[in-house]
Amino acid sequence: MESSERSALLTYRLCGGSAEEERGRERGRAAAAPRKLPTFLGVVVPTLLSMFSVVLFLRLGFVVGHAGLYQALAMFAVAYFIIGMTVLSVCAIATNGALDAGGAYYMISRALGPEFGGSIGIMFFLANVCGSALYVLGLVEAVVDSFGIPPGQKAGTGVHVLPQSYWYELLYGTVLLALCLLVCLVGASIYAKATFLIFLIVAGVLGTVLVSFFATRPIRVPIRLPHLNGSEIENGSFTGFSLDTLRKNLGGDYAVDYTTGQMMSFSSVFAVMFNGCTGIMAGSNMSGDLKRPSYSIPRGTISAVLFTYLVYNLLAFLMCATCNRVLLQKDYGFLHDISIFPPLVTVGIYAATLSAAMSNLIGASRILYALARDDLFGRALALAKKTSASGNPVMAVILSWMVVQLVLFSGKLNTIAGVVTTFFLLVYATVNLACLALEWASAPNFRPTFRYFTWHTCLLGIAGCCVMMFLISPVSASASLGFLLLLLLALHYLSPSSTWGYISQALIFHQVRKYLLMLDVRKDHVKFWRPQMLLMVQNPRGSARLIDFVNDLKKSGLYILGHVELQDLDMLPSDPLQSQQDSWLSLVDKLNVKAFVSLTLAPSVRHGVRQLLFTSGLGGMRPNTLVLGFYDDEAPQDGLARHPAFSSAREEIPLGFPPLRAPTTAKMLSAREYVGIVADALKMLRNVLLARQLESLDKAWELRRAASPPPTIHVWPVNLLRPDSARYADTCSLFLLQMACVLNMARAWRRARLRLFLCVEAGTMPHAQEEKLRQLLKDLRIQAQIQLVPWDAITRLHWQTCRGPPGGPAEEEEEEEEGVVNFPTNTAQVSDEYVCAANKLVLEQSPAPAVRFLYLPRPPADTSLYPLYLHQLELLTRGLGPTVLVHGVSAVTSTQL
């Protein structure tokens, strides 16, 4: 026992699962793809290069040119506030357990479960794919600016030899993307080396750009715009540090974007700018290749984010202080024109955009590989599982490359910037949601070593992401959320179950515990009474239809399937009920009933039922009604074999339940013990239902047969075994009416009609009794047809064969006030002849109903009369078909608001 506990603790991972599975998976990964990357190469460099790419070199001037310095700084503050909150959540999740390949997908799926994880994984995959296409298009734009034939000229001169058109630019993008593909196919190691070389280049270029703002003299920059004729040139100015230039650039001045021809606004500019902040997941995407993911991701990501924030703000100020608005708005590659060494800037732009494209491509491939390996989408992603001998997921890289190629058909960088931003904001919102859910669930195993976060930071991150998503593009945000919802629903119903653990279960537990504490039994009121059922089941094979029937009777109340196992724990090596629990829960799922399962060990069935009545439920949710199958000599039938959930050829009946008792085998309890259970329940102020021949009730046939006449429910709210004490308004009769009405309110039984039988004698003004009963039904809002049944002959037979003298205890009415139970001392006073006559009276009422509700008399106080009591119940219900005997001790009806 000690070793199993130790292994469970030592192999704890964020994803859960068995210790053996985790060890096997670890061995496989270690053999196939050893982790090699340190913090700087694996996190800092990819993150910096993803953030220092298109926006830094090709769109920062666009941002400050349209928005002005004030609004640009506000944009950076909002963007970095969002990603700052997200980084805190990422760090918290990353330091709470061992990470694997997949980055954000792995974090979300292991925290929120497969539905959220799989759907967000697809969204994050699409975000990386679109991001890669965006960076490729930015690289194409830079190449065309450097080597493209100027607008209006038919032939190029010098280095300007590349034709410019939509199809040519698509061709250039395809070639550049193929180059990214080749690098990514080699693997993470060569990618890390390549990115480090690119990082050195970008760092050198950034230093050159900063020096250029101080070293370059004021110059005029001629600008050829695509929509203008080749002879028309507009001049932009680099003024050097000028207070006048700074003043003119402080406010916003939104104009038409010359690459798309669209009017810019705060939201459209923010959408482009935010792409310079979306690289925060570049390091976590490489989590499967890092030496120490939990150590590297927090430190590397936070360092990179702080550095980029400072650089962006510094460059925005320098641009506004040295460049006029025309240069910023009309020439996105002006850094090349003002640099002290222009070729280096060109190389830096190429290197940064190429690296960002590769980073997003390899990130997308790792997410796709993780999705495929988790089998959330079945065969749809089976191809992406294939890896090279070194462990590189080559097929996932190729599939990601194909999707990026499709996105390149959009043509322009600014066209897809809004879509990319929406996808990333949605992913960041979900990362914050995952951390928030873990924090709110208060699970003891959520102990991240990174503690600089609270639920407030998570909530602020979610709110910021959602607000900006809809400000940027309400259409894209709505479409993305709709697509996410469809994926979530599809995975919920189609994906296989996982062993990762579901945060929803932890949250539900947390909330249920809180609300159960608030559910005060002292505040119960009859207006809000509902049945809370404990159904005792010996063997589910013989009780499938009864289980389904009681599910219709519960009316959104508590429903517990109880079972007593006759064993002594002292004589057993372990609890035998643990192995049975899964079978019972699977049964509940298969039968589609909303029930809990409560199993117990006891020396006798009666003791076991007492235990369950005392201990089942929690707080204000405890069973108030005990349901038992009827005690008779009929051979049990295997209802599971005939049940629609198990009758399909594809289904077997596993579940591990034993075969049914043979007709010749002795029963587990005696008749005396059975009646004792009923008496115990009444002593404990529990209502009692005895269900006979419910296994013969074919609910589907009864409720689908011809609409005329509809199926009926017969209700006999009179004690047929005590005609001398017949009343229609005592607690038990009203409870019986309530249960019949509850069944009629169930969705499956709404077509059925209630028929209420009023037993009358000559000379008792039957019409007055009928009117009184009709008024009672009206007050109780119960719709039922009342049918008068003369029973003079029955009552006459009773007095002829009654064992007690008139005027004796047999004529004393059984009074049951609310909360008070009186046990009559002389209940079994009627003869078998009378009981058979009462049975015949009930049976003669046609047409035959789907189910009958009869009044259940109290067991006699004298335990020696228990067998006779049960015998008379058997005679009363013999041949009636599906019948429910009801005895209520609770006041359950109300005529008040």
Side-chain angles (χ1 to χ4, degrees), residues 9 110 206 224 254 337 477 511 691 697 703 761 802 837:
L9 177 63
R110 269 50 176 185
L206 184 59
R224 291 179 180 270
Y254 295 100
D337 299 318
Q511 293 302 108
L697 173 63
L703 302 178
E761 299 181 57
C802 179

Side-chain angles (χ1 to χ4, degrees), residues 475-602:
V475 175
S476 297
S478 301
S480 300
L481 287 172
F483 182 55
L484 175 66
L485 183 61
L486 286 176
L487 285 173
L488 194 149
L489 291 174
L491 286 171
H492 177 73
Y493 288 106
L494 301 178
S495 69
S497 60
S498 71
T499 58
W500 306 338
Y502 294 77
I503 190 63
S504 58
Q505 296 298 303
L507 289 172
I508 290 170
F509 177 88
H510 184 74
Q511 293 302 108
V512 166
R513 181 194 62 84
K514 181 172 72 174
Y515 287 120
L516 275 175
L517 290 172
M518 297 169 62
L519 190 61
D520 191 346
V521 294
R522 296 168 294 182
K523 298 179 181 179
D524 282 349
H525 194 280
V526 65
K527 290 188 298 184
F528 307 112
W529 179 91
R530 66 182 72 238
Q532 306 201 74
M533 305 291 199
L534 171 61
L535 170 62
M536 297 306 303
V537 180
Q538 178 185 350
N539 190 332
R541 292 184 181 275
S543 308
R545 287 181 175 174
L546 176 58
I547 294 171
D548 184 60
F549 178 79
V550 178
N551 186 62
D552 291 335
L553 269 180
K554 72 180 186 306
K555 187 57 180 173
S556 302
L558 179 67
Y559 183 19
I560 299 175
L561 299 181
H563 174 72
V564 179
E565 193 76 17
L566 299 183
Q567 296 191 57
D568 185 356
L569 190 59
D570 290 337
M571 308 301 294
L572 298 170
S574 62
D575 181 6
L577 300 179
Q578 295 299 322
S579 59
Q580 298 182 25
Q581 190 78 17
D582 286 345
S583 295
W584 284 86
L585 294 176
S586 298
L587 174 77
V588 168
D589 293 338
K590 284 287 185 182
L591 296 181
N592 195 27
V593 295
K594 298 177 181 179
F596 298 95
V597 174
S598 186
L599 312 179
T600 187
L601 289 176

Side-chain angles (χ1 to χ4, degrees), residues 44-65:
V44 176
V45 170
T47 303
L48 286 176
L49 289 179
S50 292
M51 301 178 80
F52 282 165
S53 54
V54 169
V55 172
L56 178 68
F57 294 112
L58 295 178
R59 286 299 184 271
L60 192 55
F62 160 85
V63 171
V64 297

Side-chain angles (χ1 to χ4, degrees), residues 63-72 245-254 320 325 328-329:
V63 171
V64 297
H66 286 281
L69 180 62
Y70 291 154
Q71 292 188 37
T245 302
L246 180 62
R247 284 200 193 101
K248 291 179 179 179
N249 288 331
L250 289 178
D253 184 17
Y254 295 100
C320 287
R325 185 86 65 172
L328 295 174
Q329 289 184 348

Side-chain angles (χ1 to χ4, degrees), residues 463-479:
C465 290
C466 292
V467 169
M468 292 313 303
M469 232 181 3
F470 281 94
L471 282 179
I472 291 170
S473 175
V475 175
S476 297
S478 301

